[in-house]
Amino acid sequence: MSFSVFDYVALSDVVVAHHLTMIMNDDDVCQGINLSGGQKQRVSMARAVYQDCDIYLLDDPLSAVDSHVGKHIFEQVISSKTGLLRDKVNLTL
């Protein structure tokens, strides 16, 4: 499965698009902008999914996000029925 620009836009919806564009080169700070733990978590998830790997090992991927954000990430990314990783091997710890 390869990702198109449309998949990337859908993924950026999960990750908060304006933060993703500002931090593609740095995990913590870009141009004086600090990211919260939840924002870092979403960016890491977006980067992982965008790599289009065959196997994903996710270590507590929803730990730093609020419950409603976690539900959204689970449904849009992790879920074996509706998520972007539905056709991939996904090991979630």
Side-chain angles (χ1 to χ4, degrees):
M1 173 171 99
S2 63
F3 287 96
S4 69
V5 172
F6 298 107
D7 293 325
Y8 191 72
V9 170
L11 183 60
S12 67
D13 174 49
V14 173
V15 204
V16 185
H18 65 280
H19 286 297
L20 180 63
T21 57
M22 289 188 284
I23 58 168
M24 290 306 291
N25 296 321
D26 189 69
D27 286 334
D28 294 331
V29 179
C30 182
Q31 300 172 359
I33 297 172
N34 295 317
L35 298 178
S36 70
Q39 290 166 331
K40 289 178 189 179
Q41 191 90 1
R42 292 186 297 243
V43 169
S44 294
M45 179 72 70
R47 287 178 173 167
V49 172
Y50 195 69
Q51 292 298 313
D52 193 26
C53 298
D54 293 326
I55 300 173
Y56 291 87
L57 177 61
L58 305 174
D59 184 9
D60 205 5
L62 306 177
S63 63
V65 297
D66 297 333
S67 60
H68 69 281
V69 174
K71 180 181 178 194
H72 185 71
I73 291 172
F74 181 81
E75 291 172 349
Q76 299 298 316
V77 179
I78 301 170
S79 172
S80 61
K81 295 181 182 180
T82 60
L84 290 172
L85 300 180
R86 67 183 165 270
D87 297 327
K88 305 291 184 169
V89 175
N90 176 2
L91 303 172
T92 304
L93 306 174

